[in-house]
Amino acid sequence: MTVRAVEVPLLWMPYALRVNPHLPALHEESESWARAMGMLDGYRGPAARPAIWTRAAFHAMTVDQLTAWTLPDASLADLRLNHRFNIWALAWDDYFASAFKQTGDLAGARAFTTRLHAFLRPGGARPPEPTNAVERGIADLQQQLFPPRLAHWRTEFNRALARYIDAGVEELANSRSGRIPHLIDYAPFRRESFAAYTAPYSVELATGARIPEQIRHSRTVRALLDAFMDFMGLANDIASYEREVHEEKDVNNLVLVVGTSLGISLRDAVPAALNLVNARLRDFEHLRRNELPPLVHRSGLDRDERADLETWLTGACGFLSGLHAWYTGAPRYASADVSFPE
């Protein structure tokens, strides 16, 4: 039994897919930055190493569609910036899997991760000279990701990236020891291992809107953001089950976590995991529709602040819809006979 056979009809998504009109322009330049960083065949820079992807493998991932589907309202400049971040995150994931997960090289993974931390230091500390495509990519992004209007994100975004790369080492340690995480611990950990804490930045980048400061740290908004982030990583586990568990021998996957924690078979774990993912999206929708309006009223937000919040929420719904479309339609996860608009 495969997860793919049941994922498409049961993974709930109430928000319509919208596509950024700049997708064709993004597609035209899709590989230029990846090649400049040394991620693609054809890199001719210093200290050249084997590329992470062939040109065909890179285009099969349809990262340009991922970006255009998740950020339908972004300008071309903002779309291009987030596209480069998406490419980097996938480059890290695939490089880490091939260099360390497939070989079981925990010591090498720790050394690699320690060096990446040096590129995430706040305060303008001078990073080391990049020695591979992943380091080159993050060094370049650090010069672009925090323009003045997003400067407040520098510390929080880099903290999220540090959690992301550290989680890779923890996943490898789990796989080497055969330790499948427990369900109670897994959802918070998956937010880190999916880099989900960077997603509110992407929504803000695309919409130009922020969650108002008066309610940003309220229980309701924290719960809404947790549900928002949980859908991303947990739905990814459903879509990537075959690749992660069967090809990469990874134990950090919701289907395995549910089956082991509840003591049930794979046949029962698949729908249980799907129900959990759908439940987190229902939680997000409930909080958005039923608990946020009274909070907004009590907090006395003015008209501009309310408009900002509504714009950000519309962007968040679009982000989730775009991820869902990519999970269920991209060749990285699904068969090619599922098509979505371009």
Side-chain angles (χ1 to χ4, degrees):
M1 177 182 183
T2 65
V3 174
R4 183 170 298 160
V6 298
E7 74 181 75
V8 175
L10 293 184
L11 193 57
W12 180 58
M13 176 47 60
Y15 315 122
L17 176 66
R18 297 185 294 128
V19 182
N20 192 291
H22 297 297
L23 173 57
L26 198 66
H27 182 72
E28 289 178 3
E29 63 174 44
S30 185
E31 66 183 66
S32 58
W33 184 79
R35 177 167 288 112
M37 296 300 105
M39 298 168 184
L40 287 184
D41 287 341
Y43 174 69
R44 295 291 182 264
R49 294 189 173 191
I52 297 172
W53 302 301
T54 65
R55 185 173 183 271
F58 174 74
H59 282 287
M61 293 190 299
T62 61
V63 191
D64 53 340
Q65 287 186 328
L66 165 66
T67 309
W69 290 348
T70 53
L71 305 181
D73 301 310
S75 68
L76 178 57
D78 291 338
L79 196 70
R80 181 184 294 118
L81 180 56
N82 206 80
H83 183 238
R84 292 178 177 181
F85 173 68
N86 286 339
I87 291 171
W88 179 85
L90 289 167
W92 174 89
D93 188 42
D94 285 356
Y95 181 90
F96 194 91
S98 63
F100 307 116
K101 285 187 175 180
Q102 291 178 11
T103 63
D105 183 6
L106 186 57
R110 285 173 173 155
F112 172 70
T113 300
T114 297
R115 273 190 57 87
L116 278 183
H117 273 280
F119 294 90
L120 304 175
R121 290 171 182 161
R126 185 179 178 84
E129 190 67 23
T131 62
N132 57 61
V134 176
E135 292 181 355
R136 199 174 296 112
I138 195 59
D140 186 75
L141 283 171
Q142 288 292 305
Q143 307 304 313
Q144 306 176 48
L145 284 169
F146 312 109
R149 67 186 175 93
L150 292 168
H152 57 281
W153 263 100
R154 180 179 294 274
T155 298
E156 189 173 348
F157 190 91
N158 282 340
R159 185 182 297 123
L161 287 187
R163 290 172 170 179
Y164 176 52
I165 61 179
D166 285 345
V169 176
E170 186 171 344
E171 285 184 332
L172 176 55
N174 287 342
S175 293
R176 279 194 52 172
S177 66
R179 177 190 175 271
I180 299 175
H182 194 278
L183 182 58
I184 291 175
D185 305 317
Y186 187 66
F189 174 69
R190 191 67 179 109
R191 295 171 206 155
E192 298 180 351
S193 67
F194 190 73
Y197 287 100
T198 67
Y201 159 91
S202 297
V203 174
E204 189 174 325
L205 171 75
T207 63
R210 299 176 63 181
I211 299 174
E213 197 62 32
Q214 298 97 305
I215 64 172
R216 180 182 299 273
H217 303 292
S218 66
R219 182 205 65 81
T220 298
V221 171
R222 288 200 307 270
L224 179 135
L225 288 174
D226 284 349
F228 173 64
M229 293 186 289
D230 284 347
F231 176 85
M232 298 175 204
L234 298 180
N236 180 272
D237 279 1
I238 302 296
S240 62
Y241 174 84
E242 290 185 22
R243 181 172 61 86
E244 289 182 353
V245 176
H246 293 297
E247 296 176 19
E248 299 177 2
K249 309 304 179 185
D250 199 338
V251 300
N252 304 277
N253 184 280
L254 181 64
V255 176
L256 290 182
V257 167
V258 167
T260 302
S261 298
L262 301 183
I264 57 180
S265 68
L266 173 61
R267 181 176 295 276
D268 293 328
V270 170
L274 281 161
N275 286 337
L276 179 58
V277 174
N278 290 340
R280 291 307 279 148
L281 189 55
R282 286 194 296 271
D283 289 340
F284 174 83
E285 182 67 358
H286 169 79
L287 289 158
R288 183 177 77 92
R289 289 186 175 276
N290 299 314
E291 296 198 25
L292 264 184
L295 173 64
V296 168
H297 179 74
R298 293 194 305 269
S299 302
L301 299 184
D302 63 29
R303 179 179 298 178
D304 289 342
E305 290 167 331
R306 292 179 184 222
D308 243 18
L309 176 61
E310 189 57 37
T311 299
W312 190 93
L313 289 168
T314 298
C317 294
F319 194 92
L320 295 178
S321 176
L323 273 181
H324 172 269
W326 195 61
Y327 291 160
T328 56
R332 186 176 177 91
Y333 300 111
S335 58
D337 59 354
V338 181
S339 61
F340 290 91
E342 299 187 0

